[in-house]
Structures are given as structure tokens and as C-alpha cells.
Amino acid sequence: MMKDRLLNLIALFVVMSVSPFAAQEKKAFTLDDVIPGGSNYYALSPKGLPGLQWWGDVCVTADVEKVVARKAAAEETLFTLEAVNKALPEGCRPLHTLMDARFPWADRQVAVLPQGGQWIWFDFGQQQVVQSVRLDERAACLDFCPANGRMAYTIGSRLCITAEDGSEIAVSPAGKENEDTQDLVYGQAVHRNEFGIDKGTFWSPKGRCLAFYRMDQTEVTAYPQVNTSGRVAVPEPDKYPMAGMTSHRVSVGLYDLHTGQTVYLKTGDATDRYFTNISWSPDERSVYVIELNRDQNHARLVRYNAVSGEPEAVLYEEKHPCYVEPQHPLRFLPWDETKFVYQSQRDGFNHLYLFDTKAAPVREGWQTLAGTGSSYCEHVGVRQLTAGDWLVQEVLGFRADKREMIIGTTEISPLQTNVFALDTRTLKRRLLGEKDGMHRARLSQSGKFLIDHFTSAAVPRVIRLLPTDGKQGTVLLEADDPLCEQYELPDITVGTLKAADGKTDLYYRLVKPVGFDPARKYPAIVYVYGGPHAQLITNTRFYGARGWDLYMAQKGYVMLTVDSRGSDNRGLCFENCTFRRLGTEEMKDQIKGVEWLQSLPYVDKDRIGVHGWSFGGFMTTNLMLTYNDVFKVGVAGGPVIDWQFYEVMYGERYMDTPQANPDGYREANLRLKAGRLKGRLEIIIGGEDPVCVPQHSYSFLRACIDAGTHPDFFVYPEAGHNMVGRDRVHLHEHITRYFEDHLK
Amino acid sequence: MMKDRLLNLIALFVVMSVSPFAAQEKKAFTLDDVIPGGSNYYALSPKGLPGLQWWGDVCVTADVEKVVARKAAAEETLFTLEAVNKALPEGCRPLHTLMDARFPWADRQVAVLPQGGQWIWFDFGQQQVVQSVRLDERAACLDFCPANGRMAYTIGSRLCITAEDGSEIAVSPAGKENEDTQDLVYGQAVHRNEFGIDKGTFWSPKGRCLAFYRMDQTEVTAYPQVNTSGRVAVPEPDKYPMAGMTSHRVSVGLYDLHTGQTVYLKTGDATDRYFTNISWSPDERSVYVIELNRDQNHARLVRYNAVSGEPEAVLYEEKHPCYVEPQHPLRFLPWDETKFVYQSQRDGFNHLYLFDTKAAPVREGWQTLAGTGSSYCEHVGVRQLTAGDWLVQEVLGFRADKREMIIGTTEISPLQTNVFALDTRTLKRRLLGEKDGMHRARLSQSGKFLIDHFTSAAVPRVIRLLPTDGKQGTVLLEADDPLCEQYELPDITVGTLKAADGKTDLYYRLVKPVGFDPARKYPAIVYVYGGPHAQLITNTRFYGARGWDLYMAQKGYVMLTVDSRGSDNRGLCFENCTFRRLGTEEMKDQIKGVEWLQSLPYVDKDRIGVHGWSFGGFMTTNLMLTYNDVFKVGVAGGPVIDWQFYEVMYGERYMDTPQANPDGYREANLRLKAGRLKGRLEIIIGGEDPVCVPQHSYSFLRACIDAGTHPDFFVYPEAGHNMVGRDRVHLHEHITRYFEDHLK
């Protein structure tokens, strides 16, 4: 069934392929025009509405000079920058923009206006400042609680909250020595942001309590990063637990504003365990944590008493021979606080499950799901809300009056996110907005309205105000694509080809050279990622092709990308077939793409290049070494070279530990293939890459030198895992030159 | 006068130019054949006699299996490896070779045989082991005292000596914590090996006392080197005082073996002072130190009482507006312990001065030497022993019975070292050995014999046993040049051209392509160094051209090297004209060379490349940026980019401090020229370069990225300032490829 739908879509895409300007002569665009960070990039991107947001059910635009509410078809200015600055009390610094304004209270005419460490509460009914807070200028990880008006924030490794008068309350032990240490870190994201963790503080719904992470890294090795930008180079050691080595220990604290006391969840020994997706019960009495063993193959949903910190119940367990990867906190039903929605890919795709904390489980004991390898054990009543060979990507919220959930899914196409209203009683789904394209949406307070941000290969950008009852919406913005208007762009097609397993359909994207001449023989470059949690081909502007792909097409290259097995949005089995052998299956799929590419009459099969970053750098290097007769030139950015140098959480999920999986680590260790290098391979890294630490690439260079092979190398000093701003333009000039030098 | 001599020589050289095999077809040599570290390098180098040495006046050859003495024309085996191993006492490890045998006592039939930390004293008269010592395996900086049979050595930062029974006596404070610190270092070379310092311990002539350096680096910034070769990258901080910053403080200790007490020389505050060329008086009662201020423009020769450590007298002072650079310890006359020979370049060339400690100075007060800028003040009687526009390079020793000194000088040619006997009474000099070529010689105990190691552009290698009375010597070895025999080598000529000052003659070396065809247009590469203390063109094998020059000539490049002003062996003014503006004058001279190169009909003037390492890397980068229309391709190894990142001793000698010479530092700061890069420039460094720390190159890459220019880069992980062994072959493959990619 899936296959048919895919093929239908392909036909659609091919017809829709982006080629607005046939053969007419236009000037050439530059990297500055198409690379983020380029001087002309934003001018040539479709316009957006950056300050657009919800104030309750009112759609508001926060601009530099003023904040405007859209009511019905009319616009109403709520307040101006001038008015705010006039109303500022003494000692407050004037604001330069209102674009960061936030409207946390649907029922209050109050905006929160942050600027640097200064936070202003502006009552735009009264046109006066009702509160102002000046935080320590080092304050980071700010987390504002609408329920109590307090702010949680970190200073170095410490955690603080604002008192009622705006002064500082220390949640973690105070003192300079506790700020600078990396040994004990409070209030920050832990587990290296895996498992959906993106912050370290969690306010209780009514604002009585702050849950926070505390991470003990005392026994974690520090990676010796060095900053060479100053008068003297300085060490910048960075705690980085490597696969198979001693990791950090995390605990979860609950700070009670009323008592000023902290209770830690009594999780037992935290060694080699992950505590993720912290969720408060609506009544603030319980904290739910999904707990995972270091092997990451057994998840448990545990409820703790928020007063005593004692565990109260295990509600759910899930296992998988590869890995279980809980990534989403619980979502309690607004109309029934005894029920929440849990996300799991146990049936092969990420779907929604309604947990009834008061109901007995349907089936006792461990259940196995044929075909997926998953097994699970429900300790309360659970009802599956969605199912099918597509996946739920996000829960936008609820429309309580209709008992609906508003969700984003791949149901229409794995290349898309579409928004649906899911009736939690009938389980029927209703599409909201266009069928085509990629939708990013934000739901209003009541769930009655969406701001629907929509883009596809055919539509540069449309932003609509959309009622969730299915009525016609209002177009807020319909943007042109200045790049398409001003320049001749390449023809881009998307289709599928068979994976190396002979059955799975893989999406590819083919970008033909600008001014394509079928009689010519073009060099071709594969742009690759291939790792989990990423998908390069989507039904968005240029089908997700990046500016550099367009640029290279303009320079006369055919650009191919294949989302191989292991990549995102295709379900559990599609992803975990790479388990313990990262790179191997992915490369086979990429080679399928290359074989197809080489079969095209206009592709010079002896001039095939490959480029990728991070996991894509790993793939690029691996392809250059493993299939060294196929690829002539490669540029690998920030590559993984040896998974034992990668961090514990991501690394061991897919590879287990080096001790447990020596063969897998050996097979994926590119240093052991250093002697196979035949073509031209350039490795590029950020000098202080904290993700793929420089040791990967340096140890690879050393291996090549010892093996007598000759990679090239470049480093962006002081840069991290990715180059940003002007560096990013420079990087792509550099990459381009390498292909021009050796593949052209 | 000098000029005439030079021109005569040039004529000679041109005639002698190395081109033994005209146009006949031979196979091509590889980098493995001609680069040190290459698998075939030694097989294709002229043979030597590595174990050749003096035992008193007996010439001895220490081989793997046996030690042979050459007496008259006959050879006599003194002992064999087998005999030594048979004689070893229990607990001693068998020796694998006798090549490291030393014969410290002219009057005893005893060899000292080191192997690892084990030292064997072998009496080859009795064929028995008379002593054995097993040092800590971390022992380094070993310094054996023939007078007392003791060994001084370091363990980490500590200093020890062997007791009579071979056990360890701690000279510096004992304890593990004192071993691992870089803060206080005992018994090692100080001042970063400048001022001729190559060790940190100095036995008194009769063995009663050990003088040693103690270096306090507490306030010196550590450069954060990183080693990426292990399971986890580890920091390897290295104390590195940068120009203008706080430097180390050195003191000189005297450890008395009889009392077990250490006295430190009472030098006063050691801040910003250098203590160099430690010399014992023959009677052990005094220690002489040459003391230099941080500006390095005022040297003082001071005598200290070896018992009390009190200063006794200042014997000599010397100043120069640029710098004074004392590099040689005193040499006391064997026949008169009240007199010693001091070396100074105060008259413009390094010459010898006989100091009479008992005589009054010839002239009181400060004297100025017109033309050189030098001034000096003699506090004792001084007589100049040598003079002329050539320089003394080394004092080999004395022939006491004739009151002669045996010295090596550039008198015959600045491209040569020839050995002379200097009569200290008449000041007449007598040439020993061939007039042609470069002579490295070792003098026997009495001074009656030389081992004269001789090579020139025409002579691969001759080693002679040479009486110093002028009689005919014995040829020990006359080596062929296997490279010349087996391969067609390029034509090499040496000549002079005028420096940019319009008057100074500079030597150049031109290597023409193998199989030269005057009708063709060849690309050309300048191989450059240009800094002080180095000379690239000498009358040695291939006139000093390195294997890579030959290899590139074989590949069809013209190779040019010019020893520009600032380089070695041409005297004070030739060197110090670059003072405070390193690079500027040197580049002008290099451009003179390039202009000449471009005037040659067979050179393609649009394809000029440049390559150099260290100071030559600085020159290469600077030339690529400054003369960016001249050079198309450059490869700069381990370059200085900004002299403020270079160390205090060398850096400030030539550049003063950044605070005192901001304009000079700005002019030489290549980061400020990063935007001028037009051609292709590759920077190559050792990942842990302790000399030109990686910060130089990383900060340059950053400057280029920010300026939007595009250098290339490569790093040899874990390597130091130079690549050695197999790395060196790989390096030259890499450099070659870069020129082949972009200049061919």
C-alpha cells in the first residue's frame, strides 16, 4: 500500500519539478546569494513573518516598532516601542525592538519584553510597565513560568530563580567555584540533548515547583579543546563521555518555591541510566520520568511523588533488541487530568497512545509485536490513538471543546508534515490546510486556530490563519521566491529507487545542471547524510536542496541525494536496520543511487564526487575508502572516524559499546581503511568541534600518513561542529574549489 | 676584497657544477631514495664511518660486533661484543651493539658502553667489566664525568647524580611532585637552547663539582598542546614564554660532591636576564658566566667564586644597538690556565680573543668599533687572535706542544668550513686538509691528529686521519655516491647576484631540470629559509641542495635558492640588517633572485612557486602575500605568522618586544596581510609543534577566512616542528602533489 502511494507521489513530484525558467539567459547567482550567512541570502529568500505568534486566541505580530493584533480582517496596534520606552522606570535600558515580545497570558493584556538580561512586563492596556527584572548578565537557559511570573536561569553551572522582587534565589549551591566547574551542572540539558532533551528546567503547571536536572560529570573525561584566538592559546576542556567509557550521572531535583527546599527523585543508583521526558501531572502532585538503561533497550515510564520524591508506580515498559528511543514528554488531556498521551514507535512507526492512569491494563504482562521486534508491558489502561505505516511527528496541542488533538504527521507523504485534527473518541483524522507540502503550525490557546506556515516545492511560502474547524482561513502572507525570479535555477526531480535490500523504496533528489544539455557528459556529486534523525528530501522549497546544490548545478554538476535506510521519517525498521554496523547498509543504498546516476546518459560515470557533513562526513569518508573505484573526489565535514570517539548516548544507541560490539566498531573504524584511499578526499573540521571532536579527524590523518595515503585537510579555527555566518560562505567556496580543482 | 674572492669561487663552482651523467637515459629516483626517512635513503647516500672516534690519540672504530683500533696502517681488535657479553655480571642485560662505545680515558683501557639505562665500564685490557650502573629508565640528559666516573642525569624535572655505588643522589629536591612539574626544572638546557646552550649540567674539570641550571617557569604561560593519538585526546601543556610576556628565571647551582651541598651563584635578581656559556676555570675555583640583559644588547662576562657563589669580577662587556649574541663558552689554554679564548663578533665577524686574566686591559673604558656598531669594555688584557672578513665557526681544540689552536673557519669561502692550525704566538694560520669543501673534524687528545670528514660538491665523502703537523694523512674512507651512479641527476650551479641593497653579493643555487632542454619553458620553485643561523648553499654534496630539490628537478622544475641577507656565515652586518623588521629585507633579496630567475629564457615567469619551513615558512607565506603577483603557488611549513607568538629569546633578539617595536611586529604580522592572498598557498604544520606553536597557523587560517581568502592547510598529528622518518617522505609527497596540482 505504501509503495503505491509513494509512486503516485513521485509522478506528482516529477510533474511539479521546479524549473520555472527554461533556457532564458540570466545572470549567475553567487554563494552569497544562496548560503545562510551570505550577504544576500535573506534578500533572496521568501519573506516570512518572524514576530507572528499567539496571544491566547489572538494572532499578534511583534515588529521592531510596534505590536499589532489581527482581529477579524482588521489590524489593531496594541502598543509601540516608543510607548514602552516612555513608560520605562528609571534604571531600565531602552528597548531597541519589540520583536522578542511574548504574550504568556491569554487573559492579561501584558507582554513580556526581554532584552539582554533585562525583562520588562508591559501592560498594554494601561500602557505601563508592571514589573522589571535585571538578571546577571551571564544568565543563560532562561525559563519563564507564566503561572508564577518567575524566571529560572543558570549562571555557569549553577541554577537560580528570580524572587518576587526580581532578586536571585540560589537553587543549587551558590559560590563562584560552583559556577565554573563542569563537574556538577545544574539546570541544563543533560544526556547531551539526546532523548528529546532540550532544556534542564521544568516548571510545574501551577508554578509551585521547579523540576531540574543535576548532572554529575566528575568522572567524565574532558576533551582538551583549545582556543587559539587570543594573545595566548587557552585550553577549553569540555567534558565528553566517549562510547564505552564512564558517563555522567543525572538526578532530578524538585525545588519547592513555598518551602525553599529541594527534594531529589529517589531513582536509585543513577549510574548508566538515562532520565528523560520529565513531565508534571496537571495537579503538580506527580512527576513522570521515562527511564532508560545504558543499553537503551528497555524504557520504563515511572511516576514519582512530587513531595517525597519516592517512586509511586511504573506505568509502562518497552523493550527492543536494538533500542528504544523515547523522545516526547507526556501530554495530559486538558479535559481529563487522569489521562495522557504517550508516543511510541513500538508498532514500527511513531504513534499516539492514550494512557488512562485509573484503568487496569487491557493485557497483563509482556506482549510482543510481530515484525518490529518490540515488546511492551502496560501497567495501566492504554488505547492506541493512531496507527498506520506513517508516523506522528508532533503534537501541536488540543482543541478541548471538540476533544480533538491537533497533530503533524507523514500520513500524506513521508516527505511532508501535514496537520490533522484527531478526534480522540472516534479516532478519525481531519486534514487541516493544504494537502501539499510541509506545514509548521502553531495552535492558539483554545485550539480553535492555527497559524499554518506552509511551503512546498511549488509554493515558496504561505502563512495562513486557519480555524481548526475546517473553515476557510485567512492568508497572512503569500511570499514570492526572489531567487527563482531573478536567476535561472536548475531542474530538480524527486523519485524513488530500490534500496540494496531489493524491496525498500528510497527517495532520491536529482538536480540537473542549469542550462542542461542532454548531449553533454556532466560530473556528478552525491550529497549525503544517511544517519538517523535526518531527512534531506522533503516537499519544501527545492525539495530540500540546499543553496550549494543549486550553486553546483549552476557550475555544471549533476547533484544527487538519496535518503538511504537509517534516515528519518520512515519508521523503526527503516532506521534500525543499521544497528551495530553504522555505515554499512547506508553505503549499499548510496551505491544504488550512484549506479542509477551512472546509468544516466548525461552523467560522466568516471567523475563522481561525494560530500557530506557529520554523519554525512562519516559516510563520505567511508564511501571514498570502501568504494574507492566509484568516487573520485570527496569532501567530508566534521566526520565521525571511529565511533569509540563519539559520545555515549547517541553512539551506544546505534553501536552499543566498543566492548560489546568490537566487530561493529572495527567495521566502522575508518582509520583501519586509511590505506584504501585512492581518490581525492578533503576532511574539513571546526577547530573546536564539541560534537565530533577533532580527535576523529586527526587520528584519521595520522592513519593515512602511516598508511602512505594522501587526504587533504582544512580546519575552521574556533568553529564548532558546523560553520555559521560568513564562515559558512567561505566553507562552501572552499568545498566548491576542491571539486573544481579535482572533479571538473 | 671579499667580492673578488667570491667571484673567483663562483667561476670555480660553475665549472665544477654537478652533472655527472649528461643526457643518457636512467630510471627515475623516488622520494624514498632521496628524503631522510625514506626506505632507500641510506643505501643511496655516500657511506660513512659512524663509530669512528678518538681514544686519546688512538683512532678507534666501534662497530656492532667489535671495536677496532687503527694503529699505524694496521688494525687491531680491542674487544668484541661477544667478549663483553661473556664478561657481564649477573643482572646486566646483554648488549646488542658496541656502536655506542665511548673512550673517555686516554690513559685507561676502559670503554664506557651505554645501552638504555644500563652503563657498563669494560676494561678491554683485562677483558672484564669493572663497573655497571643501572639508571632509572626515565633518566635523560645524561652527562658523564670522566674525572670522577659519575653520571649526572634528569628524571622529569629533577636532577640526580650517581653515587659511587651507582645508586641515585638527588641534587634537586626529590619526590614525584617535583618530577612532573614544569614549574621548576633542574639540570636541563634553559633559555630555549639559544645562546649556544645545549645542556643543563657542567662538570668541573676535576670532577669535584657539578654546575647546573635551575629554571623557574612558574609565571610562564603554558601552550596547550594536545595529543590525539590515544583512546582519549590528552592535554600536553608546554611552558612557552612568548615575546613581550613574562619569561622564566634561571639560576646556576653548584653541587659539591664532597660536601653534598649546593651553592647558587649570587647573580642578583634573575628576572629578564640570561645566563649562558657556563665555563669552569681549570682549577675549579671559579665559574664564568656570560650574562645578558633581556634586550640582548649588553653582555657581561662574570667570574664567580665556586665555593661561595659570590661574583668576583666582571672581565668583559660588549654592547650593540641591535643585539649581542654570545654563543661559545671560554676555552682555557692547556698550557696556561690564566688565559682563555673568548669568541666575539664585535668587529663584524666571529673571531677569537685571548683573555689574560692576570693582565691589565690595553685600553680602559668603553671602546667603539666604527662600521659595526659594537662597543666593548675590557677589564683584563685582551689580544685579538684572528681577524678578517671571514669567521671562526668552531674551536676544535689545542695542540699544546706547538701552542696551536685548531679551528674551523670560512676563510677560504663562506660556503665552506676549513680546518686551520692557528699559532697563538705568531697568529699565523696553517690550512689542514683540502682547500676545497666542507670539513667536519675531531681532534685527538694531544691535538696531534685530526679525523677529517670532508665533502664537497665534487667529492661525496672522504674521511682522513690527518696529523696536524701538516704531514700526509691516511684515507680511512673514500665513499662513492650511489645516487649519482644510479640515476641521472640535475645540473646544479652556484653563483652570486646582488642583494637589494645594490652592493652585497648573495649566493644562489640553481638546479636545472633533469634532461634540461633550453628551448622549453619550465616552472620554477624558490626554496627559501632566509633566517639567521642558517645557510642553504654550501660547498657540500649537491651544494647543499636537498633530495626534494633534486626530485623536483627530475619532475621538470627549475629550483632556485638564495641565501639572502640575514642568513648565516656572512658576518654581523649581513645578519643584523634585518633587525626589528624580520622578513622585509630578506624578501627584497629573494625578489632579486626571482627577477634573475624570470630573466632566464627557459623559466616560465608566470609559474613561480615558493617553499620553505619555519623561518622559511614565514618567508614563503610573506612572499605569497606581499609579492602576490610574483608567486603563483607556495607551501609554507611550520611558519611564524606573528612574532608575538614566538618565544622570548630568539624572537626578541631580532624583533625586540611587541611593546617596544609595535611597527616592526605589525609589518611582520602576516595575519594583517591575509586578505592579499591571490595564489595557492598551503600551510603545513606538526600538530604539536613546540617551536612555532600551532596558534601561528590557526590564527592565520582564521584571518584568511575572515578576509575571504583561501589558503590550504595540512597537519601532521603528533608531529613536532619538523616531520621525521616516514612522515618526512609523506610530507614531500604531499608538497610535491601541491605543486603538481597547481603549478605544473
Side-chain angles (χ1 to χ4, degrees), chain A residues 650-694:
Chain A
Y650 180 106
E652 293 180 5
R653 181 186 311 134
Y654 305 112
M655 289 293 287
D656 286 346
T657 63
Q659 299 89 322
N661 181 23
D663 292 346
Y665 274 82
R666 198 178 305 117
E667 188 175 332
N669 181 346
L670 305 189
R671 284 182 292 132
L672 302 179
K673 300 183 186 178
R676 295 179 51 84
L677 179 60
K678 285 166 68 176
R680 296 295 295 239
L681 170 64
E682 178 160 42
I683 308 279
I684 305 178
I685 65 169
E688 289 196 70
D689 189 337
V691 178
C692 288
V693 293

Side-chain angles (χ1 to χ4, degrees), chain A residues 224 226 230-233 243 644-645 680 695 698 702 705 709-714 716-717 727 730 733 737 741, chain B residues 221 224 230-233 243 644-645 680 695 698 702 705 709-714 716-717 727 730 733 737 741:
Chain A
V226 173
R231 174 64 181 93
V232 175
Q644 71 170 343
F645 298 147
R680 296 295 295 239
Q695 185 176 19
Y698 290 132
R702 172 45 61 197
I705 293 161
T709 56
H710 282 276
D712 289 296
F713 180 66
F714 198 72
Y716 284 80
D727 279 15
H730 188 280
E733 289 168 359
R737 189 176 67 163
D741 278 350
Chain B
T221 312
R231 173 64 182 93
V232 175
Q644 71 170 343
F645 298 147
R680 296 294 296 240
Q695 185 176 17
Y698 290 131
R702 172 44 61 196
I705 293 161
T709 56
H710 282 277
D712 290 295
F713 181 66
F714 198 72
Y716 284 81
D727 279 14
H730 188 279
E733 288 168 0
R737 189 176 67 162
D741 278 349

Side-chain angles (χ1 to χ4, degrees), chain B residues 269-375:
Chain B
D269 184 5
T271 306
D272 292 339
R273 290 169 70 196
Y274 302 111
F275 301 105
T276 82
N277 296 295
I278 292 171
S279 311
W280 282 96
S281 68
D283 62 8
E284 301 190 328
R285 287 192 191 154
S286 311
V287 172
Y288 290 80
V289 179
I290 307 182
E291 300 182 8
L292 204 53
N293 59 336
R294 179 147 173 179
D295 264 2
Q296 304 189 39
N297 54 15
H298 185 178
R300 296 159 76 243
L301 173 62
V302 183
R303 186 176 70 224
Y304 288 91
N305 183 298
V307 176
S308 68
E310 294 286 348
E312 292 180 336
V314 177
L315 287 81
Y316 178 67
E317 292 177 83
E318 190 175 316
K319 290 185 185 178
H320 193 283
C322 298
Y323 49 85
V324 184
E325 192 184 4
Q327 292 199 73
H328 308 279
L330 316 183
R331 299 296 291 253
F332 281 85
L333 299 185
W335 57 87
D336 182 352
E337 296 192 349
T338 68
K339 297 197 180 72
F340 60 81
V341 175
Y342 186 92
Q343 301 188 38
S344 165
Q345 38 182 356
R346 74 185 194 194
D347 78 349
F349 292 89
N350 192 61
H351 279 299
L352 306 179
Y353 297 81
L354 186 64
F355 279 53
D356 183 344
T357 58
K358 301 297 178 199
V362 181
R363 281 177 298 184
E364 297 281 350
W366 283 91
Q367 313 296 324
T368 321
L369 275 163
T372 70
S374 298
S375 57

Side-chain angles (χ1 to χ4, degrees), chain A residues 221-235 242-245 644-645 658 671 679-680 682 694-695 697-699 701-702 704-706 708-719 726-727 729-731 733-734 737-738 741-742, chain B residues 221-235 242-245 644-645 658 671 679-680 682 694-695 697-699 701-702 704-706 708-719 726-727 729-731 733-734 737-738 741-742:
Chain A
T221 312
Y223 189 90
Q225 304 281 5
V226 173
N227 185 309
T228 52
S229 67
R231 174 64 181 93
V232 175
V234 291
M242 285 184 182
M245 297 183 68
Q644 71 170 343
F645 298 147
R671 284 182 292 132
R680 296 295 295 239
E682 178 160 42
Q695 185 176 19
S697 292
Y698 290 132
S699 72
L701 295 189
R702 172 45 61 197
C704 289
I705 293 161
D706 291 347
T709 56
H710 282 276
D712 289 296
F713 180 66
F714 198 72
V715 56
Y716 284 80
E718 283 84 64
R726 291 294 309 160
D727 279 15
V729 178
H730 188 280
L731 168 69
E733 289 168 359
H734 189 94
R737 189 176 67 163
Y738 198 75
D741 278 350
H742 303 298
Chain B
T221 312
Y223 189 90
Q225 304 281 6
V226 173
N227 185 308
T228 53
S229 66
R231 173 64 182 93
V232 175
V234 290
M242 286 185 183
M245 297 183 68
Q644 71 170 343
F645 298 147
R671 284 182 293 134
R680 296 294 296 240
E682 179 160 41
Q695 185 176 17
S697 292
Y698 290 131
S699 72
L701 294 188
R702 172 44 61 196
C704 289
I705 293 161
D706 291 346
T709 56
H710 282 277
D712 290 295
F713 181 66
F714 198 72
V715 57
Y716 284 81
E718 284 83 65
R726 291 294 308 161
D727 279 14
V729 178
H730 188 279
L731 168 69
E733 288 168 0
H734 190 94
R737 189 176 67 162
Y738 198 75
D741 278 349
H742 303 298

Side-chain angles (χ1 to χ4, degrees), chain B residues 513-572:
Chain B
V514 173
F516 178 67
D517 174 359
R520 279 183 58 189
K521 287 279 187 189
Y522 293 99
I525 298 172
V526 175
Y527 175 68
V528 64
Y529 183 82
H533 291 195
Q535 183 185 26
L536 300 184
I537 304 157
T538 50
N539 185 14
T540 55
R541 192 186 186 214
F542 310 128
Y543 290 113
R546 307 170 321 146
W548 186 71
D549 295 61
L550 309 182
Y551 183 73
M552 294 306 278
Q554 184 180 257
K555 281 201 167 290
Y557 294 83
V558 172
M559 303 297 295
L560 176 73
T561 287
V562 174
D563 277 328
S564 49
R565 284 172 299 150
S567 62
D568 207 13
N569 285 326
R570 299 289 301 277
L572 185 66

Side-chain angles (χ1 to χ4, degrees), chain B residues 445-522:
Chain B
Q445 170 90 358
S446 67
K448 291 179 180 167
F449 304 97
L450 278 177
I451 295 170
D452 175 32
H453 177 287
F454 155 52
T455 174
S456 77
V459 177
R461 179 174 284 145
V462 171
I463 300 177
R464 279 204 186 84
L465 197 55
L466 207 64
T468 53
D469 60 8
K471 290 209 185 78
Q472 189 67 28
T474 316
V475 171
L476 299 180
L477 174 82
E478 189 161 0
D480 297 324
D481 194 325
L483 191 69
C484 294
E485 284 167 15
Q486 296 176 34
Y487 297 97
E488 183 180 358
L489 291 179
D491 183 66
I492 305 176
T493 49
V494 165
T496 62
L497 43 84
K498 283 282 175 243
D501 66 1
K503 56 186 187 198
T504 308
D505 282 307
L506 304 176
Y507 285 95
Y508 71 81
R509 177 185 62 229
L510 186 76
V511 184
K512 282 190 193 149
V514 173
F516 178 67
D517 174 359
R520 279 183 58 189
K521 287 279 187 189
Y522 293 99

